[in-house]
Amino acid sequence: MAVSLPSSSPLPVSFPSNLLTRSRILSPLSHALQLNRLLADEPVGSTRSFSLRSASPRIGAFAADSSSAVGSELSTELDAVSRFSEIVPDTVVFDDFERFPPTAATVSSSLLLGICSLPDTKFRSAIETALADSECYEKDDPSDRLSCFCDKALVNVGADLARLVPGRVSTEVDARLAYDAHGIVRKVHRLLRLYYELEVPSERLLFKIPSTWQGIEAAKLLESEGIQTHLTFVYSFPQAAAAAQAGASVIQIFVGRIRDWSRNHTGDPELDAICRKEEDPGLELVAKAYNYIHKYGHKSKLMVAAIRNKQDIFSLLGVDYMIASLKILQSLKESITYPDEKYSFVRKLSPSSALAYNFSQEELVNWDQASFSSAMGPASKELLAAGLEGYVNQTNRVEELFGKIWPPPNLHLPSCCYIRYLITNPF
């Protein structure tokens, strides 16, 4: 990420969905992370993340009460938009870090797949250490053992990332628990305990949870304990409002995914009403969620992903965080602004303007499971389901891979454990 994050607002850097193709020779880690894209096969609306720290200057953002237009001292569009929102680059390749240096990271099942694809990455040892963990290989149930290995691998890699980036590390929570609030809480507690064992404090961590009703309920419980959460797969106002009411630290909306759905489908009342006003449904959802958060004093920060062009950025100036592709960032960086330029970069979203936004009584409910479920339209249901399916598939693939390579080379199991391994894994 190429931004300096406030200590209370850690964010991940997300991979773009398309694959990077490079003709030049890359470092082993860069190559591994590109293979990660090939292996992950994530669904529409999913986010893969990774970042490393750079010593280069970072993009900064003005505070919420900054001026609404850019001064004449700025020289590029990237400088201009960075005064209103923190710009998060989609980057994984080392030679991009100097241009757009990141500050935080996300560890996920897709990242584990990428690391496993090559032997010569600096994080390979983190996975091998996980596969050699005695707590895991002493478990009798193979499924429990593999789940334990995955948890250990996520945390080992996350701890390595925490040593490399100044910001926070977001850790993916098993999407197979998306409809089990207590299961999510137990999983986060386990991950947090593992991080503590590696001396990574909770203030450096964020836990990424799907925005099902159960996921939102789990986030509420975790936030009450001081554990920061990152709710993803938000595609509707009920999800965003319920997440804000739950006190989620970060709420992530995918602008382009919502736009794509509305272009190819009808029958979603929330999106159809926006389209009838000839407004963009993705941009409108971000604006409504931002105004709701700020008008009613919720602590959540809003992050926008799936940005498709510079106009999306110009239309959302003032939102807390925007994830943008390297192509868009490079275009912003190469576009010069002049003191006498007629076009003015104006802040579109601000806490003060949020006060003037009017919400209907139906939108101001205290969300419960019944009202939440009835308000979820076809778009959010379909996009959420697609995101969950992708995450579940990735987790299953990681466990399948770990089952094939365990025990790792040079691992000397106690005789009782080796006998148990042979029994549960016959030749």
Side-chain angles (χ1 to χ4, degrees):
M1 186 191 310
V3 297
S4 179
L5 295 177
S7 60
S8 62
S9 307
L11 288 176
V13 179
S14 98
F15 285 159
S17 296
N18 60 309
L19 304 178
L20 288 180
T21 56
R22 304 277 179 163
S23 59
R24 60 186 181 280
I25 297 175
L26 301 175
S27 69
L29 178 57
S30 299
H31 190 185
L33 292 172
Q34 291 191 44
L35 286 180
N36 183 16
R37 297 168 180 270
L38 289 167
L39 292 168
D41 191 27
E42 296 198 41
V44 170
S46 63
T47 302
R48 290 167 286 170
S49 306
F50 179 78
S51 65
L52 290 178
R53 186 176 184 175
S54 170
S56 301
R58 305 183 187 107
I59 301 172
F62 279 151
D65 59 353
S66 60
S67 61
S68 62
V70 174
S72 61
E73 74 278 4
L74 299 177
S75 60
T76 71
E77 289 181 345
L78 183 57
D79 293 326
V81 299
S82 297
R83 286 182 171 264
F84 303 109
S85 299
E86 296 209 17
I87 308 301
V88 182
D90 264 335
T91 180
V92 298
V93 182
F94 281 162
D95 56 7
D96 290 320
F97 292 169
E98 290 302 313
R99 292 184 295 155
F100 310 110
T103 64
T106 289
V107 58
S108 64
S109 54
S110 63
L111 180 58
L112 297 184
L113 288 171
I115 293 171
C116 289
S117 65
L118 287 178
D120 299 324
T121 72
K122 67 188 305 178
F123 300 111
R124 181 73 181 207
S125 63
I127 292 181
E128 291 177 347
T129 300
L131 292 175
D133 189 272
S134 60
E135 178 189 350
C136 296
Y137 66 66
E138 289 177 354
K139 292 183 178 296
D140 293 326
D141 189 325
S143 62
D144 290 343
R145 185 188 310 127
L146 292 175
S147 178
C148 180
F149 285 148
C150 285
D151 290 346
K152 292 278 186 175
L154 285 169
V155 170
N156 287 352
V157 173
D160 283 350
L161 290 172
R163 299 182 191 101
L164 293 169
V165 300
R168 310 213 182 174
V169 175
S170 183
T171 304
E172 176 186 296
V173 177
D174 192 339
R176 293 172 298 189
L177 301 171
Y179 294 97
D180 180 358
H182 294 292
I184 292 172
V185 171
R186 286 193 297 269
K187 176 67 74 173
V188 170
H189 284 166
R190 170 171 167 74
L191 295 172
L192 191 58
R193 177 178 64 81
L194 296 177
Y195 272 117
Y196 283 162
E197 292 175 359
L198 298 179
E199 300 182 345
V200 181
S202 60
E203 57 266 23
R204 295 291 316 279
L205 301 170
L206 194 68
F207 293 94
K208 192 173 184 181
I209 300 169
S211 294
T212 59
W213 175 254
Q214 292 80 2
I216 293 170
E217 282 287 278
K220 183 177 181 179
L221 291 170
L222 293 166
E223 292 283 350
S224 70
E225 299 174 359
I227 301 171
Q228 296 205 20
T229 60
H230 170 190
L231 285 175
T232 189
F233 298 145
V234 174
Y235 298 107
S236 66
F237 179 74
Q239 286 178 291
Q245 290 178 7
S249 295
V250 176
I251 300 172
Q252 185 171 357
I253 296 176
F254 297 85
V255 170
R257 308 303 186 198
I258 298 169
R259 179 185 302 147
D260 293 344
W261 195 96
S262 66
R263 285 175 175 171
N264 298 300
H265 303 81
T266 58
D268 187 293
E270 183 179 358
L271 299 189
D272 289 348
I274 296 171
C275 292
R276 283 195 294 269
K277 296 186 292 184
E278 298 185 350
E279 296 177 351
D280 183 279
L283 299 178
E284 178 62 23
L285 175 58
V286 173
K288 181 182 285 190
Y290 178 94
N291 291 331
Y292 180 84
I293 289 169
H294 287 275
K295 183 169 184 175
Y296 297 105
H298 297 290
K299 74 169 190 176
S300 304
K301 300 294 183 181
L302 196 60
M303 181 165 66
V304 180
I307 289 174
R308 299 293 167 72
N309 50 58
K310 292 198 296 184
Q311 189 55 51
D312 283 346
I313 290 181
F314 299 150
S315 299
L316 294 173
L317 291 180
V319 74
D320 300 294
Y321 310 102
M322 288 193 276
I323 299 174
S325 69
L326 296 179
K327 180 179 180 181
I328 292 175
L329 293 183
Q330 190 62 36
S331 177
L332 291 169
K333 188 175 182 179
E334 293 173 352
S335 299
I336 305 300
T337 61
Y338 298 96
D340 59 348
E341 187 177 20
K342 292 182 179 180
Y343 181 81
S344 176
F345 293 88
V346 177
R347 181 169 187 165
K348 305 295 184 181
L349 303 173
S350 69
S352 57
S353 64
L355 297 176
Y357 193 93
N358 294 318
F359 291 89
S360 68
Q361 290 301 313
E362 292 78 11
E363 293 169 334
L364 296 179
V365 300
N366 289 319
W367 295 96
D368 56 25
Q369 186 170 5
S371 60
F372 180 87
S373 299
S374 64
M376 286 274 286
S380 54
K381 289 180 180 178
E382 290 181 20
L383 292 169
L384 174 60
L388 290 175
E389 181 181 7
Y391 272 27
V392 168
N393 288 340
Q394 290 161 15
T395 301
N396 288 337
R397 290 169 65 188
V398 170
E399 291 186 353
E400 180 182 358
L401 177 60
F402 283 0
K404 290 179 179 178
I405 65 177
W406 188 85
N410 303 319
L411 173 62
H412 299 290
L413 298 178
S415 58
C416 62
C417 296
Y418 189 68
I419 293 172
R420 183 184 302 124
Y421 171 73
L422 293 177
I423 293 174
T424 56
N425 297 271
F427 293 104

